[in-house]
Amino acid sequence: MIFLKLFHLLSVVLWVGGMFFAYVVLRPAAVETLQPPERLRLWDAVFRRFLHWVWGAVVVLLVSGMVMIRFFGGVANSPTFVQAMLVLGTLMVAVFALVYFTGYRKLKALVAAQQWPEAGKVLGKIRQLVALNLALSIVTLCAVALGRAGYF
Ligand code: HEM
């Protein structure tokens, strides 16, 4: 259980920390210093590298979470905060799938074709989805902290 939780937490740190860095630090720095074509090329290269890591983190998060739930005797026997984590975590994975399949893939093709205005629009949609996932991750962490403290 201890190793499962360790890998679970490492996945959370990688995914949520990466989103925080991209949204709060890299995005404004790129807007400040780069013109749209370079900025869009930068994001294409960033996503190409980071999203592989997120896929790995998502798999480890889901597998470790589900195995830990088995230790509790199934979803119905798990504490409420774990059930909330399951729902919120699944929602986060769905939002990430949208980022990957409807955002990143389109962005990659548009950057390759040098269609900058369209690529900019897709990047804007990805930004909104990442903001949503960051918000969901904060809600999830609050649910875990409150649940662990015995509030529900
Ligand atoms: C479908 C996805 C997920 C499942 C099935 C799941 C399940 C679990 C389970 C069963 C535990 C062990 C709880 C315990 O030992 O009391 C746990 C721990 C934890 N999970 Fe998740 N989780 C998921 C997603 C997430 C996400 C998205 C986050 C954060 C954004 C997260 C953050 C944590 C934290 C911080 C702990 C440690 C809690 C503690 O022991 O104090 N989990 N998770």
Side-chain angles (χ1 to χ4, degrees), residues 31 82-83 100 117 151:
V31 169
V82 170
Q83 293 169 348
Y100 190 87
Y151 285 98

Side-chain angles (χ1 to χ4, degrees), residues 32-81:
E32 197 179 295
T33 57
L34 299 174
Q35 292 303 308
E38 285 73 33
R39 200 187 314 153
L40 289 157
R41 278 201 195 96
L42 170 76
W43 281 113
D44 181 32
V46 166
F47 290 139
R48 192 168 64 237
R49 289 164 178 81
F50 180 57
L51 297 188
H52 285 135
W53 285 96
V54 178
W55 274 118
V58 161
V59 170
V60 173
L61 192 73
L62 291 177
V63 171
S64 57
M66 293 316 294
V67 175
M68 287 191 286
I69 282 176
R70 277 187 70 100
F71 286 149
F72 282 113
V75 176
N77 292 317
S78 298
T80 312
F81 80 90

Side-chain angles (χ1 to χ4, degrees), residues 119-152:
K121 279 186 202 143
V122 174
L123 185 62
K125 291 212 176 91
I126 294 177
R127 184 186 61 75
Q128 286 174 350
L129 289 172
V130 172
L132 173 61
N133 249 0
L134 258 180
L136 283 172
S137 66
I138 291 166
V139 172
T140 309
L141 290 168
C142 290
V144 173
L146 291 173
R148 264 273 172 222
Y151 285 98
F152 73 97

Side-chain angles (χ1 to χ4, degrees), residues 3 8 14 40 46 50 57 63 67 99 107-108 111-112 116-118 120 132 152:
F3 283 109
H8 194 77
L14 188 158
L40 289 157
V46 166
F50 180 57
V63 171
V67 175
V99 167
L107 180 77
K108 191 172 139 184
V111 167
W116 308 122
E118 293 80 1
L132 173 61
F152 73 97

